[in-house]
Amino acid sequence: MTDHQGTQPEGLRAAAPYRYDEQMAPPPAARANEVAQATFEDVFEVDPRLMQRHVLQQAFPNWDTLRIMRSRHDHLDWMHRHFAHTVVIGSELLSEVESEAGEAG
């Protein structure tokens, strides 16, 4: 499966041998900002330490993280085809808000 740009994400293939120790220990997390971290390329998640009080943390195998990441655009495309009458792009909304803030200030 490829992403929206047609590139294949890095990581083990579905037919790769399963080794529990390799799959249950994600790569070291890189801090993305004060609340987010990145474990795999283009996989960002809320820092689990911030969620421990309200959300039970569970062991999640690397292959499942990569499977979800690889299929996210297929899922969004499906949602748009079935439910969205208009697709709103976040960067366009930000530009609009910033231009309105500039006019008001």
Side-chain angles (χ1 to χ4, degrees):
M1 195 161 292
T2 60
D3 66 11
H4 67 286
Q5 298 171 348
T7 57
Q8 180 67 37
E10 293 182 20
L12 295 174
R13 310 295 299 161
Y18 181 80
R19 294 181 181 88
Y20 183 86
D21 290 340
E22 291 174 6
Q23 286 300 311
M24 298 310 288
R31 173 87 28 222
N33 61 34
E34 61 277 355
V35 297
Q37 64 185 25
T39 48
F40 297 95
E41 184 177 353
D42 294 328
V43 177
F44 296 92
E45 58 187 22
V46 172
D47 185 339
R49 294 174 299 173
L50 299 174
M51 298 188 302
Q52 289 175 346
R53 182 173 172 196
H54 301 291
V55 179
L56 177 64
Q57 300 297 297
Q58 56 185 311
F60 206 72
N62 296 337
W63 63 266
D64 212 15
T65 299
L66 294 171
R67 177 191 62 79
I68 292 167
M69 189 266 309
R70 288 179 177 134
S71 64
R72 65 185 176 212
H73 293 288
D74 291 338
H75 176 72
L76 285 174
D77 289 343
W78 184 90
M79 294 295 283
H80 289 160
R81 283 192 311 274
H82 288 82
F83 300 107
H85 301 288
T86 303
V87 176
V88 180
I89 300 171
S91 59
E92 291 177 4
L93 286 175
L94 277 176
S95 296
E96 186 177 319
V97 169
E98 289 170 354
S99 67
E100 288 175 3
E103 292 173 6

